[in-house]
Amino acid sequence: MSKKYTIVTYGCQMNEHDSEKISWILENMGYIWTDSKEDSDFIIYNTCLVRENAELKVYGQLGALKELKRKKPDLILAVCGCMMQREPIRNVILEKYKHVDIIFGTGNIHKLPQLISRHYQTNETVVDIVEDTREIIENIEANRKYTFKAYVNIMYGCNNFCTYCIVPYTRGRERSREPENILEEIKNLAENGCKEITLLGQNVNSYGKTLSYDYNFANLLKDINKIDGIERIRFMTSHPKDLSNELIEAMAELEKVCEHLHLPVQSGSSKILKAMNRKYTKEDYLNLVEKIKTRIPDISLSTDIIVGFPGETEEDFNETLDLVKKVEYDSAFTFLYSIREGTIAAKMENQIPDKIKHKRFQQLIDTLYPIFYQKNLKYENEIVEVLVEEVSKNNEKILSGRTRHGRLVHFGGDRSLIGQLVNVKIDNAKTFTLEGHII
Ligand code: SAH
Ligand code: SF4
Ligand code: F3S
């Protein structure tokens, strides 16, 4: 009988896509997917370290599995992803969670079959980590969740060292994939029915810097735009400091590039932005937004914002409120600053008490949500193109999908439409979603 596996994934799209690769590797070894941990012969946790709550969840889950492992000694338990790139965390796992069998990192997913057989041979905890690598491993395919939309890595790692962020320490230095490999992957996806791709990188605007010839992100978008079958091109994330005029032009001109830009601002205070090592001021950011809106008037803008960075005063925070009102974001991810051991900001004085962080967080979302609602209201009675993604969990007859601008839309329809582009007339706008009917 085939062995069963399950993967629990935390963190960003990068991790989600890594899990799709792990799934492909395991299914090639004969494992079959199950949703149930109790039924699994192999459980993998793909971890995230970006904020403390992501980290704590993993410890909680691993602790809870001690009992299952005792009842089912043949069960293999593996932990991988960003947390495992940090030695102190690996040591915690090795000391406190001795029932973990395999530990690997973000740079050696392809070695999983070897690690599994090493574990079977030795019956010991196998630890395999690549600390920092310039190597890019090609040819790991992915068992993608959807056929009609796909994530495609264009680069790995990050060189920006924003002072709050652990990612440069878990994903290594920035390196770009060769364009021919990316284009080949996307052509294959398109031949197999993929309509929408999301290009992934910690800072896609610096794509190409590690290539041995002159080729940048705008060039890549132009080449992808030519691929038959691909209808929509998305990408994330764009660092404001590297967003070039050439890229804005490419976005405006290329018909397949969606009218949505995720442009993390992090804070509206130039003083805090400096302490974060973001390398732009509030004014730079607002000027950039102005330039984008002028060239692409119906652009949707989303962002990431951190509240309670060390030293953030009431005045600094008010600058953030002022900025979000000026930009009028279409959506935003908001975070409480979380101390990450090993980063520069973790050692800063003037850490902000939790109570103040929570108060500001609430104030921020109270400012943002009415803006989101106002932006959504503009779509009432409009017709939008939606890529149908899913059937609602609660109602078989309700479908959901996204517009080119990245908005989530609910509407009535049959599940046979999943994967199709349909036109939907919007009847009702809410803060986070739109409701409509197919026309
Ligand atoms: N490379 C991307 C994504 C990085 S992680 C980028 O630069 O935008 C996603 C978001 O998590 C960041 O944009 C930031 O807003 C948030 N984040 C990162 N470290 C954090 C920390 N220590 N505390 C709170 N939020 C954090
Ligand atoms: Fe982290 Fe900054 Fe790199 Fe984004 S650009 S991954 S926030 S260090
Ligand atoms: Fe992503 Fe979390 Fe790693 S946000 S890059 S999975 S630390």
Side-chain angles (χ1 to χ4, degrees), residues 346-385:
K347 293 190 220 76
M348 287 180 183
E349 288 167 13
N350 306 325
Q351 296 285 339
I352 307 296
D354 277 352
K355 212 173 141 190
I356 296 180
K357 281 187 201 166
H358 284 280
K359 191 188 108 230
R360 289 182 187 163
F361 187 86
Q362 190 58 44
Q363 238 181 308
L364 178 61
I365 61 175
D366 288 346
T367 308
L368 283 167
Y369 290 179
I371 300 175
F372 300 162
Y373 179 60
Q374 283 305 320
K375 301 283 293 223
N376 274 347
L377 259 188
K378 297 206 174 103
Y379 284 92
E380 279 190 359
N381 299 315
E382 296 284 317
I383 295 165
V384 290
E385 180 203 85

Side-chain angles (χ1 to χ4, degrees), residues 10-15 47-50 82 166-167 170-171 202:
Y10 295 100
C12 62
Q13 289 85 354
M14 208 63 84
N15 255 20
T47 63
C48 170
L49 191 56
V50 81
C82 287
I166 198 73
V167 173
T170 69
R171 292 271 169 181
Q202 299 298 348

Side-chain angles (χ1 to χ4, degrees), residues 92-108:
V92 171
I93 302 281
L94 289 168
E95 279 159 29
K96 293 204 184 144
Y97 302 90
K98 292 197 162 54
H99 57 304
V100 171
D101 301 298
I102 300 174
I103 291 174
F104 61 105
T106 54
N108 51 356

Side-chain angles (χ1 to χ4, degrees), residues 158 160-162 164-165 167-168 202 239 266 278:
C158 182
N160 289 310
F161 292 94
C162 303
Y164 51 80
C165 183
V167 173
Q202 299 298 348
H239 195 306
Q266 313 299 359
R278 292 290 289 179

Side-chain angles (χ1 to χ4, degrees), residues 50-51 164-167 201-203 237 239 264 266 278 304-306 335-340:
V50 81
R51 280 171 292 277
Y164 51 80
C165 183
I166 198 73
V167 173
Q202 299 298 348
N203 176 15
T237 300
H239 195 306
Q266 313 299 359
R278 292 290 289 179
D304 294 345
I305 302 169
I306 299 176
F335 307 108
L336 296 166
Y337 169 70
S338 169
I339 297 179
R340 305 288 65 210

Side-chain angles (χ1 to χ4, degrees), residues 18 26 37 42 45 100 122 136 201 203 209 274 290 315 356 392 427:
D18 282 350
L26 289 175
K37 291 194 193 98
F42 193 19
Y45 283 91
V100 171
T122 60
I136 292 181
N203 176 15
K209 283 193 181 152
K274 190 158 199 290
E290 214 30 61
E315 217 178 345
I356 296 180
S392 152
D427 304 313

